[in-house]
Each structure stands twice: as C-alpha cells, then as structure tokens.
Amino acid sequence: MAVSYEECIKACLECMEACNGCYDACLKEENVKMMADCIRYNRECADICALAAKAMQSDSPFAKQICKLCADICEACGKMCEQHNHANHCKECAESCFKCAEICRTMAS
Amino acid sequence: MAVSYEECIKACLECMEACNGCYDACLKEENVKMMADCIRYNRECADICALAAKAMQSDSPFAKQICKLCADICEACGKMCEQHNHANHCKECAESCFKCAEICRTMAS
Amino acid sequence: MAVSYEECIKACLECMEACNGCYDACLKEENVKMMADCIRYNRECADICALAAKAMQSDSPFAKQICKLCADICEACGKMCEQHNHANHCKECAESCFKCAEICRTMAS
Amino acid sequence: MAVSYEECIKACLECMEACNGCYDACLKEENVKMMADCIRYNRECADICALAAKAMQSDSPFAKQICKLCADICEACGKMCEQHNHANHCKECAESCFKCAEICRTMAS
C-alpha cells in the first residue's frame, strides 16, 4: 500500500514532537541515569525526523533513502522508550515512533 | 497578548513547510536567476523555524532568544518572497513568514 | 579588533566538537542527574555552533545575527560546564565555549 | 582498512565546508539555472555531513548507518558537481565529496 508525502511528513513531525518532549521529560525525571539511553535515542530520532520532513517538503532526490534511515532510528527509539513504559511520555513516544517507522518504511520501499 | 508554545510551534512548522516548498518550486522555475535570493532566504528561514520548533518542544532555556532570531529571519524572508508575488508559492510563503514572524516576536517579548 | 569568517568558523567547529563530546561523556557519567542541565546546554550549544558555521560558510545574510545568538548560548553553556570542573570534559568544553563566545561576539559586532 | 572517527569527522567537516561554499558560489553564478541541481545537492550533502559529524562526535549508536547514507549522498553530489568542472568551486567540491564518500563508506562497513 502506498503512502503520500503529506502523510509521511505528518508522521515525522508528530514523532519529532513526541521525541523532543520525551527528551525534555526524561531530563527532568528523578532517576535520570535510568533514562540516559532514552535521552540519547530521543535526540537522534527527533533530528532524523526533522531531516526527513525537510527532505520530503523540498522534494529531495534523497527523500526515500532518508526515510529508510528514519524508519530504522524510529524503530530503535520506540523499542528503547517501550522499556520505560512506567513513564507516560515514554509510552506515548514509543507509539509515535513505531507509527512513524512503519510509514517511513512504506515510503522508502 | 500572550501566545502559547503550542501556537508558536504550529506557526513555525507551517512556515518551515512553506519555505521548503517555495525553495523547491523556485529551483524548478524557468528563471532561476531571478529567484536566487529567494532560494537562499527560504533555506535559512526553514532551518531557523525547525530550530525554533525543536527549542520550544524540548523546553529549551534559549527558546525565546531563538524565537527572536526566527522572527527577524521570517520577516526578511517574507519581504523577499513578497517581491515575487507573480509566483503563487512565493505569495503563500510570504503570508506564512509574516504570520510566523508576528507570533515569534510575541513569544520572544 | 576584527575577526575573519575563517577564524570564527574554526572556533564554532571546535566548540561544536567539544560540546558533542561533553554531551556524550555526561550521559556516560555515574551521576547523570547532576549533569542533566549540562547535557541540555551542550546539545543546544553544539546545534547553534553548527548553524553558525553553516551560515558563515555559505555567506548567509543572517550570519552576524546567528553569531550573536551563538555567542549568548556559548557563554551560557561555558558557565554551566564550568560548574562541573571536576570532570575534564566539562572543563575543556567550558574553555572552547568561552573562546567561541568571544570570537562570535566580535564577529557579530 | 579501518578508519578512525577522527579521520572521518575531518572528512565530513571538510566536505560540509566545500558544499556550503559551492552552494553559495552557484547561487552567485551568472547562469543559475544550469546550477539548480548542484545547489540542491550541495544543500543536502552539507546537511548530511553535519549530521554525520555530530553522530560520530557524540558516539551515536547510529553513527555507522548515518555514515552509510552520507557516503551515498556525497557520491551523488560529487557526480553532480563533476559535471560543472568549468567552475573551480564545483571541481574542488567534487573532490571533497568523493574523498568523504570513500571514508564514510569504509566507516560504515
């Protein structure tokens, strides 16, 4: 099933927002040490989602390749956040990441 | 009058989308030379809008300062695009830029 | 005293490297909680240094304004890192930040 | 043959500088239309080089994957610039791109 640029951009921007919010919330947690990898993955994921959105919005010749990498990073970030599902921000972030990963994977294929 | 992070993020993301789209459309114009400055300003404006959105989404201590710079660049980009109002993408981009400039200026104040 | 683009780009790239390295080292510290603000500032500082370098390298019409913001963020990041001078990466990062802040401030003036 | 992070970061930063400079020079050319694709590729290449440098500097778990994508985009940008070898900035940029592509490819493998 095909996916439109519009749909994929929307998923990337939502995932970017979730990851930036989760990054901020993790840094404010009582136990930051437990969240260290989550902070790291959130940063990477937010940045690649921003790059993927920019690529599609400007009709980049590399849009599909960037979406493929974005799918991989979103998938990894979702799995990381999933492990911290006692925190609501991580739980919601994992959902955004998995959704974005799926849409980006379809876009890249 | 105050403005919320949510409202300002929305304006930045819309302006980013308009600028990336206008950048792409300008590069595909028959007369690219006439659009050279517009291409340049669009790129700068899309990038600072992305940075401002990221700053607000992650509750950056520098969010207001980044929004102030974003307002200045959006204003300049809007004025540049306005001069090419024979092209629909420039006309629409100018509107997004001026709107974002105003909201970012309020946020920064 | 004037400063060249070349000199200022060099300072920004060195500060970016120091901040990205300090961000990574802070996330690997035993006491991450104590480093939470440092992690946050390092991220912001590395990103604005990258933007400032890009602006100067591409002769952006906004280079000076971006350097002014970069100087402010470098200054704040340097002061944050300075408080953690038991850690070598923070101590060295603070030096890079203050040096970059000074050169960017001269560039912006 | 192995390649160090330090060496690969250096190649990425040099390629970023060459691409940002070539982007600027192309926009100032008499015949901008002929340079439209070059402008576009330069922007993409400079941005992915910046991301790859950041990833390695912060010991990102995705550094190799980002370097792989960087190698692909550098290769494509080098081929694009090579076609405009009447312009010195394009010729030099192509060299930086091919060098960075090779080093990033080794890093990713």
Side-chain angles (χ1 to χ4, degrees):
Chain A
M1 209 190 70
V3 67
S4 67
Y5 264 11
E6 197 186 339
E7 205 179 342
C8 194
I9 291 166
K10 193 168 170 284
C12 287
L13 293 180
E14 280 170 10
C15 188
M16 177 182 87
E17 176 139 10
C19 285
N20 280 325
C22 191
Y23 166 87
D24 173 50
C26 284
L27 278 170
K28 290 170 179 164
E29 283 279 344
E30 203 45 55
N31 191 343
V32 187
K33 177 127 194 93
M34 199 175 68
M35 298 306 195
D37 279 335
C38 208
I39 291 165
R40 195 184 276 278
Y41 278 60
N42 278 149
R43 183 198 188 185
E44 308 269 345
C45 195
D47 285 351
I48 195 72
C49 283
L51 189 70
K54 177 161 77 167
M56 288 182 281
Q57 287 172 349
S58 59
D59 197 18
S60 160
F62 308 107
K64 290 202 171 193
Q65 287 160 271
I66 294 171
C67 283
K68 193 184 169 303
L69 177 59
C70 190
D72 290 344
I73 296 180
C74 285
E75 181 93 20
C77 188
K79 283 178 185 166
M80 183 59 73
C81 285
E82 215 179 20
Q83 295 173 28
H84 301 285
N85 60 6
H86 60 280
N88 252 343
H89 53 86
C90 284
K91 204 174 171 176
E92 284 167 23
C93 189
E95 281 171 34
S96 293
C97 287
F98 288 136
K99 191 181 164 193
C100 188
E102 195 190 330
I103 294 178
C104 279
R105 192 140 350 256
T106 309
M107 174 56 73
S109 69
Chain B
M1 208 190 70
V3 67
S4 67
Y5 263 10
E6 198 187 338
E7 204 178 344
C8 193
I9 290 166
K10 193 169 171 284
C12 286
L13 292 181
E14 280 171 9
C15 188
M16 178 182 85
E17 176 139 11
C19 285
N20 279 326
C22 191
Y23 166 86
D24 173 49
C26 283
L27 277 170
K28 290 172 179 163
E29 283 278 345
E30 204 45 53
N31 191 343
V32 186
K33 178 127 194 95
M34 200 174 70
M35 297 307 194
D37 279 335
C38 207
I39 291 165
R40 196 185 275 277
Y41 278 61
N42 278 150
R43 182 196 188 186
E44 308 270 345
C45 195
D47 286 350
I48 195 72
C49 283
L51 189 70
K54 177 161 77 167
M56 289 182 280
Q57 287 172 348
S58 59
D59 197 18
S60 160
F62 309 106
K64 290 203 170 192
Q65 287 161 272
I66 295 171
C67 282
K68 192 185 169 302
L69 177 59
C70 190
D72 290 344
I73 296 180
C74 285
E75 180 93 19
C77 188
K79 282 179 185 166
M80 182 60 72
C81 284
E82 215 179 20
Q83 295 173 28
H84 301 286
N85 61 4
H86 61 280
N88 252 343
H89 53 86
C90 284
K91 204 174 171 176
E92 284 167 24
C93 189
E95 281 171 33
S96 293
C97 287
F98 288 136
K99 190 181 164 192
C100 189
E102 194 189 331
I103 294 178
C104 279
R105 189 135 357 250
T106 309
M107 173 56 72
S109 69
Chain C
M1 208 192 68
V3 68
S4 67
Y5 264 11
E6 199 186 337
E7 204 178 343
C8 193
I9 290 166
K10 194 168 170 284
C12 286
L13 293 180
E14 280 171 9
C15 188
M16 178 182 86
E17 177 139 9
C19 284
N20 280 325
C22 191
Y23 165 88
D24 173 50
C26 284
L27 278 170
K28 290 170 179 164
E29 284 276 345
E30 204 45 54
N31 191 343
V32 187
K33 179 129 193 93
M34 199 176 70
M35 297 305 195
D37 279 335
C38 207
I39 292 165
R40 196 185 274 279
Y41 278 60
N42 278 149
R43 183 197 188 185
E44 308 269 346
C45 195
D47 286 350
I48 195 71
C49 283
L51 190 69
K54 177 160 78 167
M56 288 182 281
Q57 287 173 349
S58 59
D59 197 19
S60 160
F62 308 107
K64 290 202 170 193
Q65 287 161 272
I66 294 172
C67 282
K68 192 184 170 304
L69 177 59
C70 190
D72 290 345
I73 296 180
C74 285
E75 180 94 18
C77 187
K79 283 178 184 165
M80 182 60 73
C81 285
E82 214 178 22
Q83 296 173 28
H84 302 285
N85 59 6
H86 61 280
N88 252 342
H89 52 86
C90 285
K91 204 174 171 177
E92 284 167 23
C93 189
E95 280 170 34
S96 293
C97 287
F98 288 136
K99 191 182 163 191
C100 188
E102 194 189 330
I103 294 179
C104 279
R105 191 140 351 257
T106 309
M107 174 55 73
S109 69
Chain D
M1 209 189 71
V3 68
S4 68
Y5 264 11
E6 198 186 338
E7 204 178 343
C8 193
I9 290 166
K10 193 168 170 283
C12 286
L13 293 180
E14 279 171 9
C15 188
M16 178 182 87
E17 176 140 11
C19 284
N20 280 325
C22 191
Y23 166 86
D24 172 49
C26 284
L27 279 170
K28 289 171 179 164
E29 283 278 343
E30 203 46 53
N31 191 343
V32 187
K33 179 130 192 89
M34 200 175 70
M35 297 306 194
D37 279 335
C38 207
I39 291 165
R40 196 185 275 277
Y41 278 60
N42 278 149
R43 184 197 188 184
E44 308 270 344
C45 195
D47 286 350
I48 195 72
C49 284
L51 189 69
K54 177 161 77 168
M56 288 181 281
Q57 287 173 348
S58 59
D59 197 18
S60 159
F62 308 107
K64 289 202 170 194
Q65 287 161 272
I66 294 171
C67 282
K68 193 185 169 303
L69 178 59
C70 190
D72 290 344
I73 296 180
C74 284
E75 181 93 19
C77 187
K79 282 178 186 166
M80 182 59 74
C81 284
E82 215 179 19
Q83 295 173 30
H84 301 285
N85 59 5
H86 60 281
N88 252 342
H89 54 84
C90 284
K91 205 173 170 177
E92 284 167 24
C93 190
E95 279 170 34
S96 294
C97 287
F98 288 136
K99 191 182 164 191
C100 188
E102 195 190 329
I103 294 178
C104 279
R105 190 137 355 252
T106 308
M107 173 57 72
S109 68

